[in-house]
Every structure is written in C-alpha cells, then in structure tokens.
Amino acid sequence: MLNVLLKPHRSSLRAGAAEEQKVFAMLKLIPQAEVAQARPPLALALVIDTSGSMYEFADQDRAKQEAASRKLQGTTDTSDGGKHRSVDLALPTKLDQAMEAAHKLIDDDRLAPDDQVTIIRFDDDAETLLPLTPLSQKQAAHAAVDSLRKFSGGTHMGKGMRCAQKALASLPTHSAKRVLLLTDGKAFDDEDCLALAPQFGQANTPIIAIGIGEEYNDDLMRELSDVSQGRPYHLQQMTQLREILDAEVGTSVKEVITDLQASVAVVKGVQVTGFTRVYPSLAEVSQMGGVHRLGNIAAGDFTVFVLELAVSGLQRPPSRVRLARVGLSGHAPGLGRQDELAPQDIFMDFTTDEAAIAAVDAEVLGYVQQKNVDNMVQQAVRLATVDAGKARQTLQVASGMTQRIGNKAVTQMIENALDELNKTGSISAGTRKTVALGGRTRTMKPGATSAMEGGPSDEEIRKLTGA
C-alpha cells in the first residue's frame, strides 16, 4: 500500500548520559503504484460565510478611489455588530467572488460525476442549502450557490460546522472528504468551533480553513486545521480564493490512502514529545485513543512527518538499542482495502565517539528546521505587541534558517514582517496573518544545506531545534 522510510536525524547518542537527548525521526511516505491508480469518490463540503461583511467590496482600495472620484457620500449600514459606510458601486463583493469560485469548483473537470458536494451557509444561523449530492447533478449545486445572496447576519461559524458534520455523517471514516470553510469575520462562537474540531479529526475530515482580510481569528483557523489534519490559508485579496480552491481540488483527487494511523511503542526512558506533518504542509498530529491520526496520503509526491523522541533518565552503556517501533495502518478505499503495514523500528547506537554523536542527517534536519521556523514565527507574532526587540531577534533567526534551507517564499514573508516591525515598531494584522499562516502551506523538500554568511551555524541550528 505504502512505500515507507523511517530515518532518525542522527544514528548515535552519548553513552552514559542521564540528561535528555533528542531524536527526530523522519517518516516519509508515498503510495505504491497499484494504490495510486485507484482514486476513491470524494465528498466536498463548501461552508461559506454569508454574514453582512461578505457584502463589502472585494477590492476596498478600488472602491474608495472610485467613490472619491465620483464624490459619493454613501450611507451608514450596520452589519456583524458594527457600523460601516457603504456606497452604490458596480464592483464585485467578497460574496460575489466566493460564489464565482464555488461555481468554478463545481465545474472542475478533475472532479468525477460520482464525487459529491454539499453547500452550507452560515451567519446568525446556518443552513444546508444542498445536501450531499453527486456532481452528476451540477445544476442543483449551482442553484444552491446562487441562493447564497439571500442571507445576511453575524458570524456564527460553529453553526456552519455543525451543518457540515451532519451533512457528512453518513460517510464512513475512511472515505475521502474535506470541509472548505470560508470566513471574513471574527466568529461569535469560538468555543463551539474548538469543541467541534476534534470530532472532525476523529471522522478523518480535514478542515481547509480559509480566512479573508484582517478581522477573522487566525489562531482559531490554525487550530481547526491542525486538529483535523487540514490546512489554514490567509487571503489578502479575494482573487486568491480561486487559486486556493484549485490547489485543494488537485490535492483532494490524489488522496488515495485515507485515515492513516500510527501507533508508537517506546522502550523505558524514551518518550514521544511530538508528531508533526511537515510536508507538503505543516500540521500537528492529533493523538486519539492511543493512536496518532496522520490523515490522508496523496499519490504523486511524498508526505513527510517528523516524530520527536526524548531519551533521558537511563545511563546506557555503549550498545545498540531499539528506541521505538512504529506501526502503520490505513485504508485504500479505491481498492476496498484496509492494510496494516510491517512495523518500522528506530535503532540508536549509544557511544563515546564524539564524531559519531555530532553527525546528523541533512535531509531530516531540514524538515525539523522548517517545523521549528514555524514555532519561532508563531512566537514572534505573539511577542510583537509586548516585546518588539525579542520579536525582531526571533524573526531574524527564523529568516536565516529559511535562507539556509532555500525556502524563498517563507523567507520573503518573514522579511516583510521584519521590515514592517523595523519601520513601525509593530506588525499589522494583515502581515501577522500572512506570516503566521502562510508558512504552514509553503514547506518544501530540503536540498543540500551549506554555511551562509550572517546565518546561524550548524551548532546554533542544533541548539535552536533541540537536535
């Protein structure tokens, strides 16, 4: 079912040491050819915010310029609990562009007639406008999208999530499915959303959490995607939505292994301290019922996880020791199969050879560094409001690490945040969301790493990553 490689970032640890030593193991997976050619039917839930703010113009700068040139005064409207100045212009709203993207998704020729879609709207209330329906009935799906303009109100996202949960409840856990959740506002029911998120994880239903503009809660969107093994996105402009939905359809139709689960058995003195998907996007792996839920695996590229182990408390003599055994099981629904793979072992040499202890695997460490860059970025955006100097220092180190890895896209985002912090002493809401969420969907396969002038040394990187 799967080609599997489990490789630690180092092969040796210090013998006779009771203090904690870290081991990061790369779990690299790719579906075998037989499985890769058997795509299962897919179910998509489009959950779209129809609150009052979605009727604002998608391009606010253009709207302001046109209103000023025509000397339009406008009127005061109330939506989402706040007052807004509105003018009558023939420009597309955020909801207009969301609907256009939804129509294009329904007509995407990569989707098959037996794939299914459900359309859900939420504002003060929520409603399933189209129950789960095969795409052979596209006319009904398009009609449901067209009806989104009938609604308005506040932002109760949890109600929309409950509708999605009910709409997909008839599908088995191992079926291929995902929720595409779109909002532009701060939800009134964050706690309800967070309480529901683990249920999506248990049902193997990734939430693709898409936030528009500067008002929505990016911490909430990141948490929803993490717990469900989905992805968060920040849209600076509504025109980016079509690109994101296009990418998600492309990923969805390649997911041929579903509900992959890992069990990790460790020996005395070893603890599992982290499990993270690091490529093609970042997400912390949830542990439920004694197993780690790895989610769905797409054909055509590797999916990579990092398992973090802490070794401490035992002064082991020079020897070769099995630290952990990893078991994997998952479904190939296109073939009607559920497989349990042969267990994978992590062995380690305990030695007094300093050269062997210092040697690390560059590829594994490259993935670890990307995981830690994300941690540093999250820390920096939190610090920016209370300690700009510490935030600046953290971002500078993170930027040096991304340059070393060769991740130009994430480097640019961090540099933009640094530039803003240096000029204004703070990071704006839009920039904060861009850097906090953007890097999670832009991880890359690490190439050869080499020393860089002004960047952190190998030893500094090891200290920063705990390696």
Side-chain angles (χ1 to χ4, degrees):
M1 182 168 72
L2 272 173
N3 293 305
V4 180
L5 174 63
L6 181 63
K7 181 169 63 172
H9 85 291
R10 64 201 319 170
S11 59
S12 300
L13 292 177
R14 191 178 306 280
E19 67 271 14
E20 182 176 280
Q21 301 182 79
K22 290 281 193 181
V23 175
F24 297 95
M26 175 187 71
L27 179 64
K28 181 187 281 190
L29 310 168
I30 191 167
Q32 294 175 346
E34 179 190 19
V35 178
Q37 295 168 6
R39 174 171 93 80
L42 172 67
L44 297 171
L46 296 181
V47 185
I48 297 176
D49 185 348
T50 51
S51 63
S53 57
M54 287 292 289
Y55 291 84
E56 295 173 358
F57 296 120
D59 188 336
Q60 287 289 304
D61 290 338
R62 181 182 172 190
K64 289 174 183 177
Q65 291 170 2
E66 188 165 331
S69 67
R70 294 169 55 184
K71 299 181 180 180
L72 299 176
Q73 296 299 314
T75 58
T76 300
D77 296 331
T78 301
S79 65
D80 289 3
K83 292 185 177 180
H84 308 275
R85 198 74 176 170
S86 66
V87 292
D88 186 13
L89 297 171
L91 295 175
T93 65
K94 287 182 278 187
L95 185 59
D96 289 335
Q97 293 195 346
M99 292 169 61
E100 180 183 358
H103 283 305
K104 288 183 178 178
L105 181 147
I106 291 166
D107 286 332
D108 195 309
D109 58 13
R110 292 171 296 180
L111 296 173
D114 59 345
D115 291 330
Q116 299 180 88
V117 66
T118 176
I119 311 293
I120 295 159
R121 61 91 185 175
F122 67 92
D123 39 68
D124 285 328
D125 204 352
E127 181 182 358
T128 300
L129 303 174
L130 179 76
L132 205 57
T133 301
L135 281 172
S136 57
Q137 302 177 34
K138 287 185 178 182
Q139 187 174 355
H142 286 303
V145 171
D146 285 336
S147 71
L148 289 168
R149 286 197 184 90
K150 298 178 181 178
F151 308 98
S152 186
T155 309
H156 290 83
M157 194 162 70
K159 293 181 178 181
M161 290 173 62
R162 285 189 186 279
C163 284
Q165 188 179 45
K166 291 178 182 177
L168 300 174
S170 62
L171 299 175
T173 301
H174 61 266
S175 61
K177 53 189 178 294
R178 69 201 332 96
V179 172
L180 299 164
L181 175 65
L182 176 70
T183 186
D184 75 332
K186 185 172 175 58
F188 289 102
D189 54 356
D190 283 13
E191 291 185 4
D192 193 25
C193 295
L194 290 171
L196 285 167
Q199 299 175 36
F200 284 84
Q202 291 166 1
N204 188 46
T205 308
I207 297 174
I208 309 303
I210 306 170
I212 308 164
E214 299 186 357
E215 299 299 323
Y216 72 91
N217 183 343
D218 51 301
D219 288 334
L220 172 63
M221 301 296 267
R222 187 173 61 249
E223 180 71 14
L224 296 181
S225 62
D226 249 4
V227 172
S228 64
Q229 285 295 292
R231 276 175 288 278
Y233 289 96
H234 167 61
L235 296 187
Q236 295 172 294
Q237 300 291 334
M238 278 298 298
T239 51
Q240 297 171 290
L241 178 59
R242 180 56 196 155
E243 178 184 343
I244 288 172
L245 295 186
D246 184 72
E248 284 301 322
V249 169
T251 299
S252 301
V253 297
K254 293 178 182 177
E255 288 181 349
V256 294
I257 293 176
T258 62
D259 198 23
L260 186 68
Q261 301 181 16
S263 60
V264 184
V266 295
V267 301
K268 186 176 181 180
V270 178
Q271 288 185 315
V272 177
T273 55
F275 210 152
T276 309
R277 186 184 70 214
V278 290
Y279 180 82
S281 60
L282 271 167
E284 297 303 320
V285 171
S286 300
Q287 185 175 9
M288 302 174 187
V291 299
H292 299 270
R293 307 295 291 267
L294 306 186
N296 301 335
I297 307 298
D301 197 2
F302 294 107
T303 301
V304 181
F305 299 85
V306 168
L307 172 64
E308 182 178 339
L309 303 174
V311 182
S312 63
L314 292 177
Q315 294 179 321
R316 289 181 169 85
S319 56
R320 183 168 174 79
V321 176
R322 185 179 70 190
L323 298 185
R325 170 166 285 183
V326 179
L328 295 170
S329 64
H331 294 261
L335 297 176
R337 276 171 39 193
Q338 180 180 7
D339 287 358
E340 186 170 328
L341 282 69
Q344 304 285 318
D345 292 325
I346 300 173
F347 282 93
M348 195 62 49
D349 292 322
F350 286 84
T351 182
T352 57
D353 183 338
E354 293 297 329
I357 294 167
V360 295
D361 184 282
E363 180 189 16
V364 181
L365 199 56
Y367 285 116
V368 174
Q369 289 167 14
Q370 294 183 80
K371 170 182 179 293
N372 283 279
V373 163
D374 179 70
N375 291 338
M376 294 163 73
V377 166
Q378 306 307 327
Q379 179 186 13
V381 296
R382 289 191 294 269
L383 283 169
T385 58
V386 293
D387 190 339
K390 186 67 177 293
R392 184 180 299 107
Q393 181 183 20
T394 304
L395 287 174
Q396 286 170 341
V397 175
S399 176
M401 291 173 69
T402 59
Q403 291 177 53
R404 187 181 185 85
I405 297 163
N407 194 329
K408 295 180 181 179
V410 177
T411 299
Q412 187 61 59
M413 286 189 292
I414 295 174
E415 289 296 319
N416 289 344
L418 265 172
D419 185 57
E420 191 172 294
L421 187 60
N422 289 331
K423 288 179 178 177
T424 68
S426 64
I427 300 176
S428 66
T431 300
R432 185 188 71 241
K433 293 177 192 299
T434 297
V435 73
L437 299 188
R440 296 180 74 81
T441 56
R442 289 179 172 85
T443 54
M444 59 174 286
K445 299 172 188 175
T449 57
S450 56
M452 176 178 294
E453 185 177 352
S457 66
D458 287 340
E459 184 59 29
E460 288 170 331
I461 287 176
R462 288 172 192 161
K463 289 179 180 178
L464 287 165
T465 62

